[in-house]
Amino acid sequence: MRRFAFVLVLLSAAYLTPVSARADDLDRRVAEQMHTNAARYGIAGQAVLVRHNGQRLVHAVAGDADIAAHRPVTAQTVFNVYSLAKLLTSTLVMQRVESGDIALDAPASRYLPGLPVRWQAITVRQFLDHASGVPEYFQSRDGVVSTAQGPGLPPTLPAVWAMLDGQPLQFAPGSANRYTQTNYLVLTALLEAQYQQPYARIVEQRILRPLGLQHTWLGPPPSARRDRALGYIGRAGVLQREDDVAWPSYAHGHAALHTTLADLDRFVQAMSRGELVSRSALYGLWQPQALADGRTGGFASGWEYEESGAYREVGHDGGTRVRVRIAFKDGLDGDRYSFIYLTNGSAKNVWSRTLVDSTMALVAPRAFPRQTLTERLITHALQAGGDRDSAALQQWLRTDTGIAASDLEREINRAGYAIRENLGNAAGLEVFQLNTELFPRSANTWDSLAETCAAMGDQRNAARYLARARQLASPAAD
């Protein structure tokens, strides 16, 4: 088993050292949570920063930037943050919307000639919110990127458009969300057409230089930098080295952003304070998109959108490795948290959402009941049978989660699937069994339990539980 080194200062007798000079109870508890996350998921290295109303609550690093060399993560470590690059692109588009130079609901082709014929009526908003229906422009398998034309990526953006020109849309624009990198190729090109400059120069002039982000790069950092976190991936539960994709410059609007925790924090705070887009404009832009059938989409001007308790949450992930989240209540001038959780990979390829949720549950459990519920259920699922206090957990679930009783069964079920994905079927089974005990008359709880048993090869119980689900779903059920 790999030994994890942690850094949070004043706790150096164990494995942890605080980055800040003063260690308090929150430092200690976050350090313990990072240690727990590393043990659960096999995380190589981590960096976490949390703020409340602009005040820094936690700044902690842990583990290794380079496992083979035993080089630890530090406050200066440069991480590949992958698709967090899209937040720069969406911010630049929002600036043009605020200035009146771009209309969100106008066709992107109004501003960008040369798009494939089937894309001509797709709006800027639909590209931003992954509601365009355009196909993905590449595939990735075992770290090898290819297209229908073979290994590697097309040399130029016009070559990408030509390659995609005859392909059908995946769905009618505006009818669904499906995350594709192609959307942000369009937006990157749109910005270049607006400014008549290369994308990298636009980012430099409008974000990096104004904010003083001196340790942030589109594409790989300079070769002289030795403080870069190497990337790792889990294969069959084992942590293995993974090289970064050599993205062409036309892809830098959706990938290959490298930055430090401090620089990323500066960007997040600038967004929250209205330095890049005014708060009044931002509040309108950070509203969830409505799909054609009336459902609420999962994006707001390119930022992932959801709600927890009284808070609205916007942010983005970088695959399984990194995530940024801003939670605000009563507008951006009201109560506000920001969470940044960076890793360079894990053996279980844990969802970055799960890591951020664990921090939110620790820092403000009453403010974020959904995240607190998930973390409690993960702990329950991983405890040995004799160590579980199921009665106490059920009492808490029935009386003290802060989640409406009408939503509780659905939220437990949602957490169960997340736990299955991150920790395996056996852990998920514990949660689904618990849900049937709490909601024995729900067909959905028994159906989820049956599905998990089937995935584990327990066909006998799968059939039994499925029969129970069908009985309860029948109109004749009493």
Side-chain angles (χ1 to χ4, degrees), residues 136-160:
E136 188 58 277
Y137 77 100
F138 70 93
Q139 302 85 42
S140 179
R141 184 180 180 87
D142 295 329
V144 178
V145 172
S146 63
T147 69
Q149 298 177 340
L153 294 168
T156 65
L157 196 55
V160 176

Side-chain angles (χ1 to χ4, degrees), residues 154-178:
T156 65
L157 196 55
V160 176
W161 301 153
M163 178 183 69
L164 297 176
D165 198 14
Q167 294 189 26
L169 296 175
Q170 299 177 91
F171 52 82
S175 65
N177 290 127
R178 185 166 179 178

Side-chain angles (χ1 to χ4, degrees), residues 368-433:
F368 304 113
R370 288 182 63 193
Q371 288 80 2
T372 303
L373 171 72
T374 299
E375 186 59 27
R376 288 286 295 266
L377 291 175
I378 290 173
T379 300
H380 168 80
L382 292 178
Q383 284 175 333
D387 293 333
R388 289 196 188 102
D389 189 346
S390 294
L393 177 60
Q394 289 195 28
Q395 178 66 18
W396 178 78
L397 288 167
R398 289 189 172 102
T399 64
D400 201 27
T401 62
I403 296 171
S406 59
D407 296 332
L408 185 58
E409 180 247 310
R410 183 180 68 252
E411 290 296 338
I412 294 173
N413 204 59
R414 175 196 58 78
Y417 280 105
I419 290 167
R420 265 189 67 180
E421 179 74 17
N422 287 304
L423 293 166
N425 289 317
L429 186 72
E430 298 292 340
V431 177
F432 295 130
Q433 285 177 329

Side-chain angles (χ1 to χ4, degrees), residues 294-377:
R295 291 178 298 128
T296 298
F299 293 90
S301 298
W303 294 61
E304 295 174 357
Y305 179 92
E306 56 190 313
E307 297 177 3
S308 181
Y311 289 83
R312 299 183 179 194
E313 299 172 0
V314 295
H316 212 284
D317 67 57
T320 59
R321 292 179 172 93
V322 302
R323 185 173 287 268
V324 161
R325 187 176 287 164
I326 300 170
F328 57 95
K329 184 172 66 172
D330 302 325
L332 292 168
D333 293 322
D335 195 51
R336 186 180 73 255
Y337 287 87
S338 64
F339 300 86
I340 301 173
Y341 206 125
L342 306 181
T343 81
N344 56 339
S346 64
K348 292 185 180 291
N349 300 316
V350 59
W351 292 358
S352 57
R353 170 186 301 278
T354 300
L355 300 176
V356 169
D357 285 356
S358 73
T359 309
M360 297 174 76
L362 185 69
V363 169
R366 290 291 181 184
F368 304 113
R370 288 182 63 193
Q371 288 80 2
T372 303
L373 171 72
T374 299
E375 186 59 27
R376 288 286 295 266
L377 291 175

